[in-house]
Amino acid sequence: MSSLNLLSPTYQHGRKGSIASSTGGSAEGTEPDSHSISLQPLTPQHTGGDASTIVSPTQTHYDGASDVDGKTMRERSISRGQLDDDPKRARSGGKDGEGDELPEPHPAVDLAQDEGIDPGPFPVKPYQLASLVDPKNMELLQHLGGIRGLLKALGTNKKRGLSAKALGKTADASHHASFVPEADKDGRPGAGDEPGAGAGASQRHDRQSSDVPKLVVTGPGGEDGGGSPIDVPSTNDADDDEGPTYVADLTERRRVFGENTLPTRKTKSLLQLMWLALKDKILVLLSIAAVVSLALGFFQDFGTTRPEGEPPVDWVEGVAIIVAIAIVVLVGSVNDWQKERQFQSLNEKKDERGVKVIRNGIEMVIDIKEVVVGDVALVEPGEIVPCDGVFLSGHNVKCDESGATGESDAIKKLPYEDCLRGLEIEGAGGGDHLKHTDCFMISGSKVLEGYGSYVVIAVGTRSFNGRIMMALRGDAENTPLQIKLNNLAELIARLGSAAGLLLFTALMIRFFVQLGTHNPERSPSQWGMAFVQILIIAVTLIVVAVPEGLPLAVTLALAFATKRMTKENLLVRVLGSCETMANASVVCTDKTGTLTQNVMTVVAGSVGIHCKFVHRLEDNKARTNAGEEPGVRASAAAGRKHAEDFSIDQEQLNDTLSPAVRALFNEAIAVNSTAFEDTDPETEQKVFVGSKTETALLKFAKENGWADYKKTREAADIVQMIPFSSERKAMGVVVRLPGGRARLYLKGASEILTKNCTRHVVVERGSAADDVETRELDELSRDNISRTIIFYANQTLRTIALCYRDFESWPPAGVQAESEDEVPYADLAHELTLIAITGIEDPLRPGVREAVANCHKAGVTVKMCTGDNVLTARSIALQCGIYTAGGIIMEGPIFRQLERQDLLDVVPRLQVLARSSPDDKKLLVETLRSLGETVGVTGDGTNDGPALKTADVGFSMGIAGTEVAKEASDIILMDDNFASIVKAIMWGRCVNDAVRKFLQFQISTNVTAVLITFVSAVASVEEESVLSAVQLLWINIIMDTFAALALATDPATPQLLDRKPDKKTSPLFSVDMYKQIIGQSTYQTIITLIFHFLGSKILGHHHSDDSATQKHNDAIVQTLVFNIFVFAQIFNSVNSRRLDNRLNIFAGITKNYYFMCITLIEIAIQILIVFVGGAAFQVTRIGGREWGIALALGFVSIPLGALIRCVPNAPVERFLIKTRLLPNPQVLPTTRPEAEWNSAIQLVRDNLSTFSHVRGGRMRASSYVGKSRNAHLAPESRVALPSIMTMVPTLIASSIGAGWAPSSPSGLSNPAQFDPSKSSAALWEGKIQIHPDTKADDPIMQRWGPIARTT
């Protein structure tokens, strides 16, 4: 990623400003709005004839000559701001905000890659062009000769695109002309098979003029758009289309600059996936065991003489192991293959879209894959920019580049010439004229509004989007569970080999003793066979030790979980991520769209000055300030300063407001707006399109059931439109009233407009007045307004004031105006009447509070990383419960400058990272991982790719996520909801538990099988085992497979969230599991060996001289031993359903039909084997007494399990640590070389650190904790009284830093009562904040308390 300069320093702009709100995104201190400068309405005389150069999709027509400076409709101006890629600014460090130092810039595109490319007729090379946008580079564009030089170098024409010569006789121009994406085949004009796109083929709205032959857009210098229309030749568009570049055909362009496709990642074939699956260590171990077992089986069956009547079935064990391996490999690889195909098909559908271009003067829609460098492409609202380019001309084009670069504000696009003029003005000290403005189109960004054209300069792998996609391709790491299972496989191989070697040694000693004493007498060949038999039994022991069902259990658990997760809106791309999520200890989440709905909504407001309404008042009582006075109890209403204030639910507005006030409020919203209603192509639902603020107000009016905005807007006779500008932070419209009168409606930043108000509307409960009653604003009223604005601002609501003013005539008397639609704003915006103040925010998604609470309950820390400002981030974090006692809020510019030690101290406590760049997010993830945390990260933008790839588990958004984010992620949240992450944790824990349940069962079985094989082989003169090879096959293979399926299919339950996650270093086997394994295997070994050696006596069989009778009696004992062993396993599988010390092993068993069915099948097959198995299994039919014994002894496993659970863990843990079966917990640290604080704080810190890692009974029972509590400090480290006293100033300072202060009288100057945790201004200036509930003796207060107060 280092070569991509994914985030140039210019994007990390620091913004400081008021907490006030505005209608546009350029208002500082508020959440960025995607529409900072509104479209302009054409006056009636401008809407017809040839003068109208572009048809607006809205109900009202808008002129491109935005009155940005607020003086006249047609005054030419370049939008305020500064070009992000200003070279002067880059050199000076871009000090756009106080203390906002920028990191070292990343290296730009590696131009060395151009060396091996033959550019043919072109004077520029592909990576040279790509470096224009990464980072945005005006100097290089100037060096290339500006837009004219670039067009000449690429052999294209600004208004006609590629010439007929370039298109040649290829099919591209004609063949793809009628390409229409599937989503657009809607029967509208132009959507059929005729050449060209026609009107409306790929745009959201039908054009209102059917006789427009091609899209005509205006640039900033012409009559209406502020530029030259592209169909009018200008000095830059002279017909000098001569030269070799103009005749370079499409094939040549693709050769030099590449195709607009990314190389299809070589998806592994099914065979390759199978080969990868076979490389698993356990499967390698199994494969060796299978080969050895098969070879020895064939030797025993066909290389030796067998007793009469005994079938040659020893080879079956080897074959069965091979079958088990085949099942595991097939299930795992087919599952992976299907998931990959599913993801591919998802991406392919996304790729099927058309791009509108101009070729040879004809507008056409071509397949996105057919776009070449030099094409002139057209953009319209809602489109995702497919390639990098340089903007040519257009009308009010704004792009959201947050998904590509992390820039949260909308970026306005101006032609190169206008940007150059802006730079000249800036150079002459003319301010920041090009802030959030440039002429570069970045692939992956979204067009928010406007129409225009740009020339394509980079496609495919050379484009910004393509390079990131390629950089993110890589192989996944092993998950923590895979690592632990691999270690287990190695351990089992070593232990099994040791046991086999021990048995071989013991048997060989006896063999040599027998050979020396010639007892028994054997021929040389018999002695040879005896040796081979010893070898076979030793190898069999090793084979028995290998857990054949383990890989199948893991695979089945993952397959089952991922299938169920798909139904829960979780598409798992990487199977292993499922179980990794089980022990995620930290989730770093985005704010917008994940925690919030990404839909701005009116949540509170004040109509007039007394009527305070709140959306869902019952749930949000803190949203109203009616009845509240700082320092005054609510009950003392009589003594309140604003006694007339009252609160209502938003649903009661219609009953409270008079019809006249309702109509006025609705007109102020509907007429003074550029937003409109449209049908969402994906959901088929009606949605409002436009500025987030305006859509919120329109939605508010619609929810209240007020008159339809469209009819209200059409009924209004508009005289003059006042567009929004960031200087005045307001927009307005003047409508003509009957009798020659006129009315001005204004909306904008509340703290600005309310100062210009002299009156307010009067709202009384149940009023039915026909006219709107107004009153003068006195000091008390102004105090009420100020309180309301500050109250909303402290909740980080965007406050919008709606006002009006009536005029007796138009233009107003005494006003100098060139025409009636050009009255200066300053002459209008005073003596206003306040209608309402509305509080707008992006509300939380339903269920987010509960999801965050569940995460905390599950021991998962949630950290918010957002590019939004710190005030909004804090508000949302408080609302959803992320920001809690002991937590820190920090801004990206401060975070990235921390020293390594400070970083390690801060990161565990960091809960909100505001104004963060993608690099900050990646740094946070890397630091967390270095601290041993398992990290999950959510991301939706291209810029989130590095963090998603760095994390243990990456979550991308299925709806809002870019292709890059999805490619880099492991799990896709199909509903973009944070609550789905909790489901992922739950299912991950379900997978982990399934594997552990199976291990608890399987290892018990294997330990028993190894012990009885070892003991019986040593005790038997003929080296015969208790269980025959085929019986071991049934127990080891079939039983294990069934148990894997049964235990792997327990569904996830919310109870899984009631425990803390395991650390990466935690052992695979817990103390509870060890207790069960040791207890159950001991019991099974004892009863099996007792019945093996004493079975005849217990059953009352006496030794018979009749060989047939004796053989039958031995067969009954052998069958009984086999039966006891099998039923002990069946009942132990039920016992293994619990991993903790709780006794209810049947919890949820009725919901797992697999388990119940498989258990019944196992019992049925066992009965069948005994009755029918006969010779193959070396069993015989047994009577009821033997069946009763087998069932009773098998059932004992269940009460025995309950008894084992009652054994205290502490002594067992000490025993396991001594035997090295459990790792020894870290000893309490005594000194730290890098310690900077005095020893008293160090001691506290060390103790706190240890106790945070030790939980529950383990802490209380651990001896070393007890010792540490009672330990005396060494004399040299004993803390003297003066040393303790030195802490006092720090504690006091940190208390002040945490927000403590003496009470003070309430006042508007500081409604937060000097509490920096509640004061928006303090937080905005502070850059770091510690939660006010943090205890004064908390180490974080010692270190950061003073800084939190003073920075």
Side-chain angles (χ1 to χ4, degrees), residues 791-847:
F791 180 77
Y792 289 154
N794 277 333
Q795 299 176 58
T796 64
L797 300 184
R798 184 183 297 187
T799 54
I800 305 296
L802 291 99
C803 315
Y804 80 99
R805 182 185 174 191
D806 285 340
F807 299 94
E808 289 303 318
S809 62
W810 190 261
V815 172
Q816 297 294 323
E818 291 181 17
S819 64
E820 68 169 14
D821 67 338
E822 293 184 359
V823 178
Y825 175 75
D827 293 331
L828 301 176
H830 57 89
E831 296 181 19
L832 303 171
T833 302
L834 177 67
I835 302 172
I837 296 169
T838 57
I840 298 173
E841 77 166 357
D842 182 5
L844 289 183
R845 278 180 173 272

Side-chain angles (χ1 to χ4, degrees), residues 634-648:
S635 59
R640 282 200 340 250
K641 199 195 301 186
H642 304 292
E644 294 178 33
D645 287 3
F646 61 94
S647 301
I648 60 169

Side-chain angles (χ1 to χ4, degrees), residues 1008-1332:
T1008 306
V1010 167
L1011 286 174
I1012 61 174
T1013 303
F1014 188 97
V1015 173
S1016 59
V1018 171
S1020 167
V1021 179
E1022 296 176 0
E1023 291 89 22
E1024 285 185 354
S1025 175
V1026 180
L1027 303 170
S1028 70
V1030 182
Q1031 288 172 352
L1032 274 174
L1033 163 72
W1034 163 239
I1035 291 159
N1036 262 4
I1037 305 295
I1038 312 302
M1039 288 274 295
D1040 291 353
T1041 306
F1042 277 143
L1045 189 58
L1047 292 169
T1049 50
D1050 267 343
T1053 60
Q1055 286 73 34
L1056 291 167
L1057 299 174
D1058 292 340
R1059 65 170 195 256
K1060 306 299 178 192
D1062 294 328
K1063 290 195 171 293
K1064 286 180 181 177
T1065 53
S1066 62
L1068 188 58
F1069 295 92
S1070 65
V1071 177
D1072 293 318
M1073 289 171 69
Y1074 272 122
K1075 283 196 312 188
Q1076 288 293 337
I1077 290 167
I1078 293 167
Q1080 293 288 351
S1081 55
T1082 303
Y1083 165 71
Q1084 290 171 13
T1085 304
I1086 290 169
I1087 58 165
T1088 306
L1089 290 176
I1090 285 173
F1091 275 86
H1092 176 63
F1093 292 114
L1094 302 172
S1096 295
K1097 289 182 181 179
I1098 293 169
L1099 294 174
H1101 296 161
H1102 299 289
H1103 185 74
S1104 173
D1105 294 330
D1106 183 4
S1107 61
T1109 305
Q1110 185 60 40
K1111 193 173 181 181
H1112 178 67
N1113 289 344
D1114 290 345
I1116 288 174
V1117 173
Q1118 174 79 359
T1119 305
L1120 178 59
V1121 170
F1122 177 49
N1123 244 8
I1124 289 169
F1125 193 85
V1126 168
F1127 280 109
Q1129 305 315 317
I1130 290 171
F1131 286 107
N1132 189 31
S1133 69
V1134 179
N1135 180 62
S1136 295
R1137 292 188 71 249
R1138 276 216 96 96
L1139 291 170
D1140 52 22
N1141 276 336
R1142 293 179 187 169
L1143 300 177
N1144 184 10
I1145 58 173
F1146 299 104
I1149 197 168
T1150 53
K1151 293 179 182 175
N1152 190 349
Y1153 298 111
Y1154 288 100
F1155 189 91
M1156 294 189 292
C1157 292
I1158 287 165
T1159 304
L1160 292 173
I1161 288 168
E1162 285 176 342
I1163 294 169
I1165 294 176
Q1166 181 61 22
I1167 293 169
L1168 202 65
I1169 286 170
V1170 172
F1171 279 97
V1172 181
F1177 283 86
Q1178 295 174 19
V1179 292
T1180 186
R1181 295 190 179 192
I1182 54 175
R1185 180 182 61 160
E1186 285 79 15
W1187 277 110
I1189 291 169
L1191 281 168
L1193 290 173
F1195 181 77
V1196 169
S1197 290
I1198 290 176
L1200 177 68
L1203 193 65
I1204 293 168
R1205 286 185 171 89
C1206 295
V1207 174
N1209 280 13
V1212 179
E1213 186 174 4
R1214 284 198 295 272
F1215 167 75
L1216 293 170
I1217 289 169
K1218 282 180 182 175
T1219 55
R1220 302 273 180 102
L1221 287 171
L1222 269 184
N1224 191 10
Q1226 290 180 350
V1227 182
L1228 201 65
T1230 52
T1231 60
R1232 277 178 46 158
E1234 72 273 21
E1236 296 171 3
W1237 299 345
N1238 66 49
S1239 53
I1241 296 177
Q1242 194 60 46
L1243 186 68
V1244 172
R1245 184 175 185 169
D1246 285 342
N1247 278 280
L1248 287 172
S1249 173
T1250 304
F1251 293 158
S1252 68
H1253 289 82
V1254 186
R1255 299 188 300 275
R1258 256 186 238 178
M1259 186 179 86
R1260 290 190 293 275
S1262 178
S1263 60
Y1264 80 85
V1265 175
K1267 285 175 187 171
S1268 72
R1269 284 174 173 168
N1270 302 323
H1272 295 290
L1273 279 172
E1276 66 271 15
S1277 63
R1278 195 176 290 278
V1279 182
L1281 183 62
S1283 181
I1284 293 174
M1285 291 303 293
T1286 59
M1287 295 169 62
V1288 174
T1290 313
L1291 290 174
I1292 293 169
S1294 60
S1295 299
I1296 292 168
W1300 175 84
S1303 296
S1304 64
S1306 59
L1308 284 174
S1309 60
N1310 193 1
Q1313 295 188 8
F1314 298 101
D1315 180 352
S1317 69
K1318 296 174 184 171
S1319 167
S1320 301
L1323 179 57
W1324 185 260
E1325 292 164 6
K1327 307 289 194 308
I1328 177 173
Q1329 183 196 359
I1330 301 172
H1331 196 279

Side-chain angles (χ1 to χ4, degrees), residues 12 77 467 622 699 909 929 937 1267 1299 1318:
Q12 297 155 348
S77 73
R467 289 197 307 280
K699 199 169 72 168
R909 298 292 195 92
R929 291 191 72 188
V937 170
K1267 285 175 187 171
K1318 296 174 184 171

Side-chain angles (χ1 to χ4, degrees), residues 165-200:
K165 298 173 188 173
L167 297 172
K169 296 180 181 179
T170 59
D172 295 68
S174 57
H175 177 68
H176 297 286
S178 60
F179 172 83
V180 178
E182 202 170 323
D184 288 321
K185 292 181 181 174
D186 55 3
R188 291 183 295 175
D193 295 329
E194 69 274 12

Side-chain angles (χ1 to χ4, degrees), residues 102-122:
L102 300 170
E104 289 293 318
H106 291 288
V109 178
D110 184 7
L111 296 178
Q113 298 174 86
D114 274 333
E115 289 176 5
I117 298 172
D118 173 20
F122 301 101

Side-chain angles (χ1 to χ4, degrees), residues 178 211 248 268 333 357 537 569 583 589 662 713 726 815 933 1022 1084 1156 1257 1266 1268 1335:
S178 60
D211 57 348
K268 295 181 175 69
S333 54
V357 298
I537 199 78
N569 290 318
N583 295 317
T589 177
R662 280 204 307 269
R713 197 179 284 178
S726 52
V815 172
E933 305 284 5
E1022 296 176 0
Q1084 290 171 13
M1156 294 189 292
S1268 72
K1335 293 180 181 177

Side-chain angles (χ1 to χ4, degrees), residues 26 36 453 639 650 778 955 981 991 1021 1036 1163 1226 1233:
S26 58
S36 59
S453 62
Q650 186 184 316
D778 54 20
F955 291 91
I981 295 174
V991 169
V1021 179
N1036 262 4
I1163 294 169
Q1226 290 180 350

